[in-house]
Amino acid sequence: MSTLQAENLTYRVDSKLIVSEVCFQASSGEFLAVVGVNGAGKSTLLDLLAGLKRPTSGRILVDGKAFQNFTPSERASWICHLPQAVRADLPFTVEQIVRMGRYPRGDSWMESAADAAAVEAAMQRARCFEFRHRRFATLSGGERQRVLLAACLAQAARILLLDEPATYLDLGHQILCFELLRAEAHNGALCFAVTHDLNLALAHCDRLLVLDQGKLTADMTVAEAWSEPSWMSNFSERLRICRSPEGERWIGYG
Amino acid sequence: MTMAGQGKWVALSAVAAVAAAVFLPWIGPSPIEFSRVVAHQQPDYLIFMELRLSRTLLGLLVGASLSLAGALFQALLRDSLATPYTLGISSGASFGAILTITSGLPSVAGLPAVWVGALLGATAALVIVAGASAQRGQLSSFRLLLTGISLNGVFSALILMVHSTAREYRSISVTHWLLGSLDSIRYSALTVFAVVASLMAAILLSRAKHWNLLMVGEDWAATRGVDPQRLLRLGFVCGSVLTATAVALAGPIGFVGLIVPHIVRARISADYRILMPCSFFLGGVLLAAADAAGRIVLAPAELPAGAIMALLGGPYLVWLVRRRS
């Protein structure tokens, strides 16, 4: 059982607060959605948690230890980060990129047979095995996104931080992506996904972190999110909870 | 292609380099005979050992250094059009070399003055680029690229100024040097160069996986076990040393550092564990072969290796840019 704790996490650029005194704690097995309007500080929060940015104040504890003191390879064994985008014209093949997920897991020059198996499994799960020999630059946006997701799965880190993992994906693959993360959490990982798709988040995650102007304005379970929908007005006054004849809920707008 | 299949390409490239060292010295304007060389008969033996062999080995090392540096800078700057000369190191070396040529100084501390001038110029360029592009002690690819390009412009202007005030007979030497060419070289100097180049190659190759990560992005590398700042600094210094020594000995020979990594990427692998050693060996082969061709196509006149590379490289670059857009 591992935990991730944010204590008064603050990040400012010059005098502008991007992330402001964010506090929360999450444990392995949880799948959290990070939501908020554009510029609310979601990606910055993820960057802070991934160690890509140094907080102006506050700290991050991983299993009670200050994350700042971890070496780069210790960090990589704990945390995997899926960036919002990487450059599209990379000369690597799909397989070469997914293999990079295994780099932090050993100092050997070449990947082992176990690494190769993990890479293949990750490509199968993220549905990019069929085009594993194609160059990344020749793929569509959605195909590229699946490759990056496979690279994250191959890393097998304990904490997954994914910045809009469903971008560019068609509806079927969006659902697949969130189901994969749900399964990772079920197997003991702690997953965070920044997303704009509230329905996807409410259908697959356990918990919702709502950011507004850098502040964590709501930290609630999905059940609470349905029962007290005041947080939705953050996004648009037009959002409302709908019900299908079978009783399924979703967020609609009209 | 599997890793093992790609490993074969590394071995083949190494074999090609050895073959080039064995066969290319026999090519030249004056014919030499194998039996006479083996029997140490003059002038064949002298031509083979003192002129052709040392020159071929120099070509192999210069081509190898520049191709490896090119592959490195393409990852470091995340720009597939980056060359060993993008960061201004070579224009610094050129400026230093041209200052010494126009001053007429023959040698410094027993070494040809041009080498010393070039190395000093390269060091100055390195310090300027590192100093000007660092912000709060941090390097970034983007700032390195911009500073390097600016510095290239400044040094080119300085070279033009010095060149235009030079006396006529020295002006010819300047022009010749700026084209880049290979010449025979003493084995002691060649050995030092070989040691430096091999050391840099070993350091760079040992971090091959890290260059793969850095090629994707600094954040990508940072979350996969690498400190991108340390990696940038290491790559910048090693790449600059490779470039500076190659340029000091052969002048700013163009295109080899651009073309070879691209050919290897397109035909063999983009994985730096394969790309780096293949570029190293094949870059040497390409330059040494270009130089051998330059010795015979217009014999008895010699075409400098830099001119041959530019003739091949210019059209290649146009084709490359067209394919990219």
Side-chain angles (χ1 to χ4, degrees):
Chain A
M1 187 79 168
S2 39
T3 59
L4 179 73
Q5 215 176 323
E7 281 185 353
N8 290 317
L9 215 51
T10 299
Y11 184 75
R12 64 170 83 228
V13 175
D14 300 325
S15 62
K16 188 171 164 39
L17 271 173
I18 313 288
V19 170
S20 173
E21 303 195 345
V22 167
C23 294
F24 67 84
Q25 182 173 350
S27 333
S28 51
E30 282 190 280
F31 182 8
L32 294 88
V34 182
V35 299
V37 296
N38 296 146
K42 305 181 295 294
S43 293
T44 307
L45 176 64
L46 237 56
D47 285 355
L48 289 169
L49 296 177
L52 291 171
K53 289 188 168 75
R54 188 180 279 257
T56 314
S57 63
R59 58 181 189 158
I60 299 152
L61 299 173
V62 171
D63 259 5
K65 294 185 287 278
F67 187 53
Q68 204 174 314
N69 302 333
F70 285 33
T71 65
S73 57
E74 281 173 340
R75 286 177 189 204
S77 72
W78 272 99
I79 285 185
C80 166
H81 179 256
L82 177 82
Q84 217 173 70
V86 304
R87 45 182 284 229
D89 64 341
L90 287 172
F92 299 111
T93 65
V94 168
E95 194 171 17
Q96 283 169 341
I97 288 179
V98 179
R99 273 201 204 125
M100 290 185 200
R102 304 301 292 181
Y103 287 4
R105 306 192 66 85
D107 294 324
S108 66
W109 177 253
M110 288 294 168
E111 285 82 52
S112 65
D115 289 329
V119 166
E120 188 181 325
M123 289 191 295
Q124 297 273 19
R125 290 177 70 198
R127 307 256 172 93
C128 53
F129 184 74
E130 290 70 29
F131 50 88
R132 64 190 180 282
H133 297 307
R134 272 177 66 192
R135 274 159 52 102
F136 189 71
T138 66
L139 304 177
S140 77
E143 288 168 334
R144 282 200 292 268
Q145 192 65 25
R146 270 140 61 197
V147 174
L148 298 180
L149 183 64
C152 279
L153 294 176
Q155 196 171 333
R158 280 165 276 195
I159 300 170
L160 276 71
L161 306 170
L162 303 110
D163 203 346
E164 299 196 26
T167 326
Y168 303 120
L169 296 179
D170 60 60
L171 266 177
H173 283 112
Q174 287 182 21
I175 294 170
L176 171 83
C177 169
F178 271 68
E179 278 175 353
L180 281 174
L181 297 176
R182 175 75 267 167
E184 287 297 291
H186 184 75
N187 292 329
L190 166 57
C191 301
F192 289 80
V194 168
T195 182
H196 287 295
D197 192 324
L198 301 175
N199 281 314
L200 214 47
L202 290 168
H204 296 90
C205 300
D206 315 295
R207 224 169 119 186
L208 222 57
L209 300 181
V210 184
L211 281 178
D212 185 29
Q213 295 178 37
K215 289 193 180 65
L216 186 60
T217 53
D219 174 357
M220 56 199 165
T221 64
V222 165
E224 288 165 346
W226 283 123
S227 58
E228 285 168 48
S230 59
W231 58 275
M232 285 182 204
S233 61
N234 233 315
F235 296 89
S236 165
E237 293 298 340
R238 291 165 64 184
L239 298 190
R240 56 191 164 78
I241 296 176
C242 310
R243 262 178 202 280
S244 71
E246 291 78 30
E248 277 179 284
R249 286 173 296 191
W250 81 89
I251 296 176
Y253 55 89
Chain B
M1 207 185 307
T2 62
M3 260 337 214
Q6 292 171 349
K8 267 182 222 145
W9 280 100
V10 177
L12 277 176
S13 310
V15 169
V18 172
V22 170
F23 293 111
L24 291 177
W26 302 94
I27 298 171
S30 43
I32 49 176
E33 271 176 41
F34 181 71
S35 57
R36 290 175 60 86
V37 170
V38 173
H40 289 210
Q41 281 176 317
Q42 307 298 5
D44 297 40
Y45 182 69
L46 191 75
I47 291 173
F48 182 84
M49 287 302 289
E50 298 301 318
L51 300 179
R52 302 262 185 84
L53 183 62
S54 70
R55 179 169 165 168
T56 302
L57 294 176
L58 178 65
L60 284 169
L61 279 169
V62 168
S65 299
L66 292 177
S67 299
L68 183 60
L72 169 74
F73 285 135
Q74 285 158 15
L76 210 65
L77 304 173
R78 281 188 292 289
D79 182 349
S80 50
L81 289 182
T83 74
Y85 305 154
T86 306
L87 291 185
I89 303 302
S90 70
S91 39
S94 296
F95 179 60
I98 276 144
L99 269 187
T100 46
I101 292 171
T102 49
S103 70
L105 209 63
S107 69
V108 176
L111 290 169
V114 182
W115 296 1
V116 178
L119 289 176
L120 286 178
T123 311
L126 187 143
V127 171
I128 294 171
V129 172
S133 58
Q135 255 178 18
R136 280 175 257 118
Q138 304 270 300
L139 291 179
S140 86
S141 304
F142 180 66
R143 286 197 303 270
L144 274 176
L145 189 61
L146 278 187
T147 318
I149 290 170
S150 315
L151 196 67
N152 266 327
V154 172
F155 273 125
S156 303
L158 290 173
I159 289 168
L160 273 176
M161 281 167 63
V162 174
H163 193 177
S164 59
T165 56
R167 290 162 197 238
E168 205 168 300
Y169 67 98
R170 283 190 180 139
S171 175
I172 293 167
S173 317
V174 168
T175 309
H176 184 75
W177 197 88
L178 282 176
L179 258 181
S181 60
L182 297 168
D183 214 335
S184 53
I185 178 173
R186 274 180 301 166
Y187 283 100
S188 54
L190 200 59
T191 309
V192 172
F193 182 29
V195 169
V196 171
S198 313
L199 187 66
M200 293 301 124
I203 294 173
L204 293 174
L205 192 59
S206 72
R207 280 145 179 97
K209 292 204 283 189
H210 295 178
W211 307 123
N212 282 339
L213 292 173
L214 199 61
M215 183 106 190
V216 179
E218 279 173 47
D219 285 355
W220 183 265
T223 50
R224 278 154 191 86
V226 171
D227 180 345
Q229 272 302 311
R230 283 176 59 180
L231 199 59
L232 264 177
R233 282 198 291 267
L234 178 93
F236 177 52
V237 171
C238 290
S240 299
V241 169
L242 279 172
T243 307
T245 45
V247 171
L249 296 182
I253 293 177
F255 293 108
V256 62
L258 175 66
I259 300 171
V260 176
H262 276 290
I263 293 174
V264 175
R265 236 180 237 121
R267 301 275 166 233
I268 303 174
S269 176
D271 186 330
Y272 271 71
R273 287 172 285 187
I274 310 293
L275 176 68
M276 278 188 150
C278 286
S279 295
F280 188 76
F281 292 124
L282 295 178
V285 172
L286 184 67
L287 186 61
D291 184 49
R295 289 198 292 264
I296 52 168
V297 282
L298 290 180
E302 267 194 10
L303 280 179
I308 302 257
M309 284 311 306
L311 279 175
L312 295 172
Y316 178 79
L317 185 62
V318 172
W319 175 77
L320 183 78
V321 171
R322 281 181 65 95
R323 208 182 59 154
R324 232 162 75 120
S325 53

